[in-house]
Amino acid sequence: MGEFIEWLPRIGLVLTGLIGCIGLIKPELLVGPVGITMPSDGARSEIRAVFGGIHLGYTIPALLLNQPLVYVLIGCLWLGVTLSRLYSVVVDRAGVKSLFPALIVDAVLAGLFLSACRSGVWG
């Protein structure tokens, strides 16, 4: 079981890297479902930078470093995204139904990264 848990953060990195690649190459796949438009080249560039560049910018070094604290940090980042979405549901009255898919993805990614830390397999 311990070996499987050690792979969970790496699975999270692969999924995060996939999100980053989609954000860089085909950003409309990520922003279209939530209603974000890209009316200009500058807007498209900004979305590529945030959804592509940032995710790839921490995924690649994390894969190379393979350090537990890096995984914990990334897990905390995804947990922060998840909590921010929940906050938006309360404060902005954003519909849970429209945010549900993204909320699930964010929470699963946070769990993948933080699961090995909780299980104590890194010693």
Side-chain angles (χ1 to χ4, degrees):
M1 182 69 168
E3 288 180 22
F4 174 72
I5 291 174
E6 286 183 26
W7 278 94
L8 293 178
R10 292 180 188 110
I11 293 168
L13 280 175
V14 169
L15 294 173
T16 300
L18 181 62
I19 291 169
C21 287
I22 293 169
L24 185 66
I25 297 166
K26 203 81 163 138
E28 54 276 352
L29 292 178
L30 295 178
V31 299
V34 294
I36 298 173
T37 61
M38 297 178 281
S40 68
D41 290 340
R44 180 177 298 277
S45 175
E46 197 64 28
I47 289 171
R48 286 184 199 274
V50 171
F51 288 99
I54 289 177
H55 289 315
L56 291 173
Y58 66 78
T59 297
I60 294 168
L63 279 169
L64 295 173
L65 293 171
N66 194 29
Q67 294 294 313
L69 287 177
V70 174
Y71 294 141
V72 172
L73 174 64
I74 296 171
C76 289
L77 292 171
W78 280 110
L79 184 61
V81 171
T82 304
L83 294 174
S84 296
R85 285 196 201 278
L86 290 172
Y87 178 79
S88 183
V89 168
V90 174
V91 173
D92 302 330
R93 292 182 171 63
V96 175
K97 188 176 180 180
S98 64
L99 293 177
F100 190 73
L103 192 59
I104 294 300
V105 169
D106 299 339
V108 166
L109 284 167
L112 285 171
F113 285 108
L114 297 174
S115 64
C117 179
R118 173 145 165 53
S119 70
V121 295
W122 291 324

